């Protein structure tokens, strides 16, 4: 059975490369295998029991891909004691205990034959050991994921600062998940950059927004391993090289054509692209990344033209990230967001139409000053949004219009209400539900 009872989000055992062991096993290895086999048996029995007990719940969940937490309470993951992990026996609901307060618990310490944080080379493990390893990795992935969705961004920064290995373990699991999706939202964003950047002039209708000097500055907030920055810089290099080549060919042609075609650039796209990507996350996994809590990144006001949150609205205070995006963006700059569909309040309501998903979220962003451009619900897994920061003249116009309709005060009080509500009930508990995975 898959680790998560959610289609598309399973860390299947088969994903671990199976390396055969041909040499004769030592006594110690045999003993270790026996111990693991017993543990696995107990585990399987537990699982059967759990499946039976979970049947009702499963039906209710309707096989959704990613489950938001059933309640909006915080989750306190219980770290396993050494004794427990040695036995590799789970207690029922070990991963979905309901927490009382925001609390960063220490990562579960896994001390089995192959500790997850310092794994043995996979090919040295027997298939059974590999299976157990996959289960433990999945369990740790779920634990870290749960933490990041149910604590504030300050606490998340602290958590990863104190235990950086959690970031690597998280991304190991995250990568496996993404591989099983029909589409990776990062690729969708990169395609947007290629399409709009390659075919249209900067700041022209349909083109990418840029600074007055045409430079496009992107902030990838919660970048993970900063794939977007790598892909974009490769694209820019390629694009500029091909434009240069076209330019050279054209100049050559012109030399031989008397009064011929005077067009210097055959395509309607820009002559060259200048795109800078800033990538922020909780750990400096590689040189492209700057460590920062995305509620407060080291870039000046109005310095970016696109801000991206790709599955990164994780902290319970994620509206602070949205406010930070507003600060960073130059007027007419765009905010791009992708989030897992089941996080939206509307997604649980069976009567709601696809196009309604994300409406409450959009309203909250509008109250934070953004104009809504587009919601794309065509993907099965995630919803993609585009907003922009209006220029000052548009803000003034809008204000005057609202005042004429005597709606300005109404909007201001809605803003206040939202702020008051988030003081006592952070938005990560109600505006976007956290993704909590079922135990298995
Ligand atoms: N955008 C990447 C990674 C998504 S996973 C992608 O789509 O592939 C979410 C990422 O957000 C994780 O790497 C996590 O560490 C990061 N993150 C969560 N809260 C953060 C915070 N407060 N500040 C910076 N990064 C954060």
């Amino acid at each position: 059975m898959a680790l998560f009872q959610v289609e598309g989000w399973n860390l299947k055992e088969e994903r671990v490369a199976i390396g055969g062991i041909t040499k004769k096993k030592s006594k110690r290895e045999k003993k270790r295998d026996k111990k693991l086999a017993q543990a696995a048996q107990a585990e399987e029995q537990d699982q059967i029991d759990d499946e039976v007990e979970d049947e009702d719940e499963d039906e209710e969940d309707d096989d959704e891909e990613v489950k938001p937490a059933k309640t909006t309470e915080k989750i306190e993951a219980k770290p396993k004691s050494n004794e427990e992990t040695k036995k590799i026996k789970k207690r029922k609901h070990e991963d979905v205990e309901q927490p009382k307060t925001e609390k960063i618990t220490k990562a579960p310490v896994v001390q089995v034959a192959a500790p997850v944080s310092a794994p043995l080379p996979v090919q040295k493990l027997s298939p059974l050991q590999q299976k157990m390893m996959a289960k433990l990795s999945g369990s740790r992935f779920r634990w870290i994921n749960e933490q990041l969705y149910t604590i504030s961004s300050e606490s998340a920064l602290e958590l990863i600062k104190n235990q950086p290995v959690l970031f690597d373990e998280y991304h190991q699991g995250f990568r496996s998940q993404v591989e099983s999706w029909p589409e990776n939202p990062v690729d969708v964003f990169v395609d947007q950059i290629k399409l709009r950047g390659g075919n249209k002039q900067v700041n022209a209708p349909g083109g990418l927004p840029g600074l007055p000097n045409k430079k496009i500055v992107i902030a990838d907030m919660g970048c993970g391993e900063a794939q977007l920055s790598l892909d974009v810089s490769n694209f820019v290099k390629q694009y500029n090289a091909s434009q240069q080549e076209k330019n050279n060919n054209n100049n050559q042609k012109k030399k031989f054509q008397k009064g011929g075609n005077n067009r210097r650039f055959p395509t309607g796209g820009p002559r060259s692209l200048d795109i800078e990507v800033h990538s922020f996350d909780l750990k400096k996994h590689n040189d492209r990344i700057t460590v920062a809590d995305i509620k407060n990144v080291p870039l000046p006001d109005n310095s970016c033209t696109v801000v991206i949150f790709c599955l990164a609205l994780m902290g319970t205070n994620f509206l602070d990230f949205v406010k930070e995006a507003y600060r960073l963006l130059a007027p007419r700059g765009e905010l791009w967001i992708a989030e897992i569909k089941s996080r939206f309040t509307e997604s649980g309501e069976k009567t709601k139409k696809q196009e309604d998903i994300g409406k409450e979220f959009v309203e909250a962003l509008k109250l934070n000053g953004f104009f809504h451009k587009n919601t794309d619900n065509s993907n099965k897994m995630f919803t993609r949004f585009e907003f922009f920061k209006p220029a000052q003249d548009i803000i003034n116009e809008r204000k005057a219009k609202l005042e004429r309709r005597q709606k300005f005060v109404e909007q201001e009080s809605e803003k206040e209400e939202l702020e008051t509500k988030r003081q006592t009930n952070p938005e990560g508990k109600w505006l976007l539900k956290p993704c909590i995975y079922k135990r298995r």
Side-chain angles (χ1 to χ4, degrees):
M1 190 182 170
L3 270 173
F4 314 118
Q5 283 177 322
V6 284
E7 184 196 325
W9 278 77
N10 50 354
L11 268 176
K12 288 181 186 143
E13 297 84 39
E14 307 88 82
R15 289 200 174 281
V16 180
I18 309 263
I21 295 175
T22 46
K23 73 173 172 65
K24 239 180 135 191
K25 286 181 184 173
S26 69
K27 253 187 174 176
R28 211 162 143 198
E29 279 174 324
K30 276 185 189 162
K31 214 170 152 189
R32 191 170 62 177
D33 274 2
K34 202 174 155 194
K35 227 172 157 185
L36 279 164
Q38 282 167 354
Q41 240 179 18
E43 164 98 355
E44 240 144 48
Q45 189 52 51
D46 267 10
Q47 210 170 298
I48 293 164
D49 295 342
D50 293 342
E51 272 176 52
V52 173
E53 283 175 53
D54 282 351
E55 241 173 49
D56 289 347
E57 207 183 335
D58 286 345
E59 268 173 33
E60 196 182 293
D61 284 333
D62 211 10
D63 260 342
E64 261 190 44
E65 288 168 327
V66 183
K67 304 285 179 216
K70 281 233 159 80
T71 74
T72 52
E73 276 175 67
K74 288 210 177 104
I75 305 261
E76 179 181 35
K78 280 195 177 169
K80 294 170 199 165
S81 74
N82 291 353
E83 209 38 52
E84 279 172 306
T85 49
K86 262 184 207 157
K87 287 181 190 161
I88 326 176
K89 276 205 85 169
K90 307 173 283 97
R91 267 187 249 106
K92 181 139 179 65
H93 298 312
E94 65 180 7
D95 292 334
V96 282
E97 294 282 322
Q98 299 302 310
K100 278 129 209 121
T101 54
E102 173 171 305
K103 192 172 165 187
I104 305 170
T105 53
K106 271 197 114 188
V109 180
V110 183
Q111 287 187 355
V112 286
V116 175
S117 47
L120 291 174
V122 168
Q123 61 271 38
K124 293 240 171 86
L125 300 176
S126 70
L128 180 61
Q129 287 169 328
Q130 288 171 30
K131 193 174 163 187
M132 296 315 297
M133 269 285 292
K135 287 188 177 198
L136 288 166
S137 303
S139 167
R140 283 182 64 96
F141 167 71
R142 287 198 311 279
W143 183 87
I144 303 162
N145 178 73
E146 197 173 292
Q147 291 288 307
L148 292 174
Y149 275 116
T150 52
I151 59 178
S152 67
S153 64
E154 295 93 335
S155 303
L157 185 65
E158 196 63 20
L159 175 72
I160 302 298
K161 199 171 111 195
N162 293 335
Q163 300 180 74
V165 72
L166 295 184
F167 180 95
D168 306 314
E169 289 181 71
Y170 178 76
H171 277 282
Q172 194 188 334
F174 184 75
R175 233 176 292 138
S176 299
Q177 308 293 359
V178 175
E179 273 166 24
S180 69
W181 295 354
E183 204 173 21
N184 180 350
V186 171
D187 296 337
V188 178
F189 285 140
V190 172
D191 286 347
Q192 282 293 306
I193 293 165
K194 289 182 182 172
L195 193 78
R196 291 176 59 184
N199 294 334
K200 301 275 177 181
Q201 301 290 340
V202 178
N203 289 332
L208 287 172
L211 296 172
N213 65 3
K214 301 271 171 76
K215 183 174 178 170
I216 297 153
V217 184
I218 300 175
D220 183 10
M221 311 282 265
C223 61
E225 298 178 275
Q227 187 60 41
L228 186 130
S229 150
L230 187 64
D231 291 352
V232 169
S233 92
N234 287 338
F235 161 68
V236 170
K237 273 184 217 148
Q238 259 177 18
Y239 182 86
N240 288 346
S242 75
Q243 290 298 92
Q244 186 61 48
E245 203 178 314
K246 273 180 196 162
N247 196 14
N248 291 345
N249 289 344
N250 258 17
N251 290 343
Q252 280 290 336
K253 264 189 212 163
K254 266 206 290 181
K255 272 191 190 168
F256 299 105
Q257 279 174 355
K258 277 188 204 148
N261 185 356
N262 233 0
R263 271 197 314 153
R264 278 167 62 206
F265 302 103
T267 69
R271 190 185 311 182
S272 70
L273 279 171
D274 183 4
I275 307 185
E276 184 177 13
V277 182
H278 298 277
S279 306
F280 299 102
D281 209 298
L282 301 169
K283 186 185 163 183
K284 193 169 180 63
H285 179 76
N286 57 48
D287 283 345
R288 297 187 296 280
I289 300 170
T290 304
V291 173
D293 175 357
I294 49 178
K295 87 169 211 184
N296 178 23
V297 302
L299 287 178
D301 296 359
N302 305 323
S303 59
C304 298
T305 59
V306 181
V307 174
I308 300 177
F309 294 99
C310 186
L311 311 183
L313 300 179
M314 288 186 114
T316 50
N317 55 321
F318 66 79
L319 282 178
D320 288 339
F321 309 166
V322 169
K323 291 175 199 292
E324 180 67 347
Y326 195 90
R327 181 188 74 79
L328 291 176
L329 282 170
R332 298 183 190 82
E334 295 185 19
L335 169 63
W336 298 355
I337 296 176
E339 267 307 332
I340 298 292
K341 217 166 243 184
S342 57
R343 293 197 68 193
F344 298 98
T345 39
E346 300 89 357
S347 68
E349 300 169 32
K350 292 239 155 55
T351 50
K352 285 279 177 197
K353 294 184 218 111
Q354 276 286 307
E355 59 263 33
D356 285 341
I357 291 178
K359 276 199 165 164
E360 195 185 8
F361 177 74
V362 167
E363 288 311 309
L365 265 75
K366 280 161 87 177
L367 288 178
N368 277 284
F370 281 103
F371 279 24
H372 180 226
K373 218 175 136 189
N374 187 38
T375 298
D376 177 359
N377 260 317
S378 61
N379 187 283
K380 192 170 163 248
M381 289 292 299
F382 54 86
T383 303
R384 210 164 49 84
F385 302 89
E386 285 174 16
F387 298 89
F388 70 96
K389 176 175 171 173
Q392 194 55 47
D393 53 341
I394 298 186
I395 296 175
N396 297 344
E397 238 174 66
R398 176 63 63 102
K399 191 179 166 205
K401 200 169 157 190
L402 284 170
E403 273 170 349
R404 275 200 303 278
R405 293 189 192 159
Q406 296 175 335
K407 287 211 164 143
F408 183 68
V409 179
E410 208 175 288
Q411 197 198 48
E412 287 303 295
S413 72
E414 268 180 61
K415 268 189 214 170
E416 257 171 49
E417 253 171 57
L418 175 62
E419 286 309 311
T420 316
K421 184 169 177 182
R422 44 194 302 260
Q423 299 306 317
T424 49
N425 194 7
E427 55 276 16
K429 288 184 165 191
W430 55 273
L431 185 54
L432 284 183
K433 296 176 271 185
C435 291
I436 303 296
Y437 308 110
K438 292 175 73 175
R439 184 163 42 86
R440 65 190 70 197

